[in-house]
Amino acid sequence: MASFVPTSDDTLEDRRLYTEARQTTVACLDCLAEVGVKKNSEHHTAIQWSSSAQGSCPVLSRRGVPHARSVHAGCPRMEASIDAAAREGRIPLGAEDGY
């Protein structure tokens, strides 16, 4: 259960901007699961996994709890797909307006 549930329009908009603004959809080159990706710098990558993407990823599924993914557990195949998209210039680099 959430300890804080935002209700003000400003807070909801801040949350939307932080989690969704400037996201680029990247598909895994192996399983085709799609995630939202944002790179604020060369070394910072934010990845938003949907329930569908978590269920489609065989690496996450092998861990036994695809819908309760650990924050630190990732998929090396998806990471390679994101790196390829970044090298090809398909993911914008750098924050805009703090997001």
Side-chain angles (χ1 to χ4, degrees):
M1 182 160 132
S3 61
F4 171 74
V5 179
T7 56
S8 81
D9 290 341
D10 289 342
T11 303
L12 291 169
E13 179 62 8
D14 283 344
R15 180 175 70 175
R16 186 196 69 76
L17 286 171
Y18 184 75
T19 60
E20 299 174 17
R22 295 192 319 91
Q23 282 193 359
T24 300
T25 300
V26 175
C28 178
L29 297 173
D30 187 42
C31 72
L32 304 180
E34 292 184 341
V35 297
V37 178
K38 163 169 72 170
K39 289 189 71 63
N40 290 338
S41 73
E42 184 178 326
H43 301 288
H44 173 272
T45 304
I47 305 168
Q48 293 291 322
W49 286 83
S50 66
S51 295
S52 174
Q54 290 177 31
S56 297
C57 177
V59 173
L60 297 184
S61 295
R62 273 196 300 271
R63 293 190 180 128
V65 282
H67 298 293
R69 190 177 84 75
S70 167
V71 172
H72 299 289
C75 172
R77 295 171 180 177
M78 180 61 78
E79 292 170 13
S81 300
I82 292 168
D83 290 344
R87 277 192 311 275
E88 294 167 4
R90 293 187 286 129
I91 302 173
L93 182 65
E96 295 173 8
D97 297 331
Y99 298 101

